[in-house]
């Protein structure tokens, strides 16, 4: 015969079991999420990215950045893809960090179109961004990883959040560290993910403050290598075209490797926020930069893990959100 306590705990266990069935957990993301509903999702995405790379050497870096700028605002919910219209009165595309800068939307639309043909209504736009980022890195010589899937798409955009949450290239290391911490990412994640600047381009307007009058001193940023400074001043003259593109990594601009970190050791980080990782006295980031500069495998391993960590920022799962038919707009709008 059960004691009163035993009967109570037995009843409690039964109730919890029933609740688990009635209200299933939103669950964790899983690399096998589409194994039965869209088994070729990864190859469709990879083939589309590979095709895009044949005509646009920048697109790999652009797709990684798109995923990053999505995840830092409302979590990884593809809110960055929404155009204005319907209930979306202010698109994240028009936020200061994104306008005339973030790109790759046409490739995402192409991937979505292929997936809708193959597995209609199944794969979310948020998962497309995560998969496209991995393909972009691995096709450019970087690491591969098992992308965790099962995100759903958000119903709203957050332009104000994009303006405040996405790290700025003009910010201090303390400010950037805080923004990473706000979304659950640590210092290793910060340094590893900054290593995505091993490929891609940046416009003059995002670093020209370092070239002539840094922080009101009337002189260039003292942490800039003088030879590199002269090259950048030529590419980005005072009062010149602020949208002129410059390689983030002057040595291997389209290859995903650890040269970003070896560049920092010789004061050739392009953005203020790049060089600060190595040139901020006493910072815990310095030893991580040294490790990644000396050991590409350590960087690749850390980068893959940090991309998984970033992809886990507040995803919508289960019955939350929706699977958009068109990544640019909420269904029915």
């Amino acid at each position: 015969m059960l004691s009163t306590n035993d009967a109570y705990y037995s009843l409690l266990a039964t109730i919890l079991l029933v609740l688990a069935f009635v209200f299933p957990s939103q669950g964790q993301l899983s690399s096998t999420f589409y194994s039965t509903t869209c088994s070729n999702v990864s190859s469709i995405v990879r083939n589309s990215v590979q095709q895009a790379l044949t005509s646009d050497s920048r697109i790999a870096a652009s797709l990684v950045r798109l995923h990053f700028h999505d995840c830092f605002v409302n979590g990884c919910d593809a809110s960055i893809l929404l155009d204005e219209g319907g209930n979306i009165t202010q698109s994240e595309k028009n936020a200061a960090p994104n306008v005339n800068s973030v790109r790759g939307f046409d490739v995402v639309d192409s991937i979505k179109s292929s997936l809708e043909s193959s597995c209609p209504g199944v794969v979310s736009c948020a998962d497309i961004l995560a998969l496209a980022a991995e393909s972009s890195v691995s096709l450019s010589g970087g690491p591969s990883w098992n992308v965790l899937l099962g995100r759903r798409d958000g119903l709203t955009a957050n332009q104000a959040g994009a303006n405040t949450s996405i790290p700025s290239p003009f910010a201090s290391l303390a400010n950037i560290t805080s923004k990473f911490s706000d979304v659950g990412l640590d210092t290793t994640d910060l340094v590893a993910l900054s290593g995505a600047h091993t490929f891609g381009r940046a416009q003059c307007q995002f670093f020209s403050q370092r070239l002539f009058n840094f922080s009101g001193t009337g002189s260039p940023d003292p942490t800039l290598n003088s030879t590199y400074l002269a090259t950048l001043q030529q590419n980005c003259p005072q009062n010149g075209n602020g949208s002129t593109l410059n390689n983030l990594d002057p040595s291997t601009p389209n290859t995903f490797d650890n040269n970003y970190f070896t560049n920092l050791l010789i004061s050739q980080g392009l953005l203020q926020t790049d060089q600060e990782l190595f040139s901020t006295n006493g910072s815990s980031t310095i030893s991580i930069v040294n490790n990644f500069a000396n050991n590409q495998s350590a960087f690749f391993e850390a980068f893959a893990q940090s991309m998984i960590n970033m992809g886990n920022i507040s995803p919508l799962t289960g019955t939350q959100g929706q699977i958009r038919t068109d990544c640019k707009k909420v269904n029915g709008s």
Side-chain angles (χ1 to χ4, degrees):
M1 180 151 176
L2 289 173
S3 70
T4 305
N5 267 356
D6 287 341
Y8 170 76
Y9 285 117
S10 176
L11 177 63
L12 185 62
T14 304
I15 290 170
L16 289 174
L17 193 61
V18 169
L19 286 174
F21 280 104
V22 176
F23 301 107
S25 159
Q26 296 298 350
Q28 298 299 304
L29 303 179
S30 162
S31 60
T32 58
F33 187 82
Y34 297 112
S35 60
T36 58
T37 54
C38 194
S39 58
N40 55 348
V41 57
S42 295
S43 60
I44 289 174
V45 173
R46 186 178 180 87
N47 290 341
S48 295
V49 173
Q50 195 156 26
Q51 179 63 36
L53 273 167
T54 61
S55 58
D56 181 2
S57 59
R58 297 171 58 199
I59 197 62
S62 297
L63 289 169
V64 172
R65 186 167 182 245
L66 204 49
H67 182 41
F68 171 67
H69 281 215
D70 179 44
C71 290
F72 267 66
V73 184
N74 288 11
C76 308
D77 66 347
S79 56
I80 195 170
L81 303 178
L82 290 170
D83 285 340
E84 288 177 3
N87 292 331
I88 310 301
T89 56
Q90 291 189 309
S91 170
E92 290 174 27
K93 294 179 181 181
N94 295 325
N98 296 333
V99 68
N100 298 323
S101 172
V102 168
R103 57 196 295 277
F105 301 109
D106 53 337
V107 177
V108 173
D109 287 340
S110 173
I111 294 169
K112 181 61 173 172
S113 177
S114 298
L115 287 169
E116 286 301 303
S117 296
S118 187
C119 332
V122 172
V123 181
S124 68
C125 301
D127 279 347
I128 289 172
L129 291 177
L131 286 163
E134 191 279 337
S135 294
S136 295
V137 170
S138 59
L139 286 168
S140 301
S144 297
W145 61 93
N146 288 324
V147 180
L148 301 184
L149 301 164
R151 299 167 193 80
R152 288 169 66 85
D153 298 324
L155 306 177
T156 59
N158 185 358
Q159 187 182 111
N163 281 323
T164 56
S165 300
I166 295 172
S168 161
F170 312 113
S172 67
L173 180 56
N175 177 278
I176 298 280
T177 302
S178 173
K179 289 188 175 180
F180 272 71
S181 178
D182 287 345
V183 292
L185 299 177
D186 65 17
T187 306
T188 300
D189 295 317
L190 164 60
V191 179
L193 293 172
S194 295
H197 287 172
T198 182
F199 62 177
R201 319 281 184 265
Q203 299 175 28
C204 290
Q205 61 177 315
F206 295 123
F207 59 87
S208 56
Q209 86 286 355
R210 304 182 69 202
L211 306 184
F212 302 99
N213 183 22
F214 183 62
S215 298
T217 60
S219 302
D221 185 339
T223 65
L224 256 176
N225 173 292
S226 57
T227 307
Y228 189 42
L229 169 65
T231 300
L232 294 176
Q233 286 176 331
Q234 195 170 6
N235 290 352
C236 304
Q238 278 183 297
N239 305 314
N241 183 350
S243 60
T244 300
L245 295 172
N246 299 258
N247 294 327
L248 281 157
D249 172 3
S251 54
T252 52
N254 299 323
T255 303
F256 197 99
D257 53 28
N258 70 332
N259 286 6
Y260 168 83
F261 297 103
T262 56
N263 292 338
L264 298 185
L265 303 190
I266 55 172
S267 301
Q268 287 192 8
L270 184 63
L271 305 179
Q272 177 181 327
T273 45
D274 293 326
Q275 196 57 50
E276 282 172 339
L277 297 176
F278 187 69
S279 298
T280 303
N281 287 337
S283 173
S284 59
T285 56
I286 296 171
S287 61
I288 305 172
V289 170
N290 275 318
N291 180 32
F292 292 165
N294 292 315
N295 186 339
Q296 181 166 278
S297 297
F299 165 50
F300 279 12
E301 188 177 330
F303 183 83
Q305 184 57 55
S306 292
M307 286 294 284
I308 292 168
N309 296 345
M310 185 181 79
N312 262 319
I313 299 172
S314 307
L316 301 174
T317 56
T319 57
Q320 299 170 321
Q322 63 180 205
I323 305 299
R324 280 182 222 144
T325 306
D326 178 344
C327 291
K328 299 185 295 295
K329 58 185 184 180
V330 174
N331 294 346
S333 65

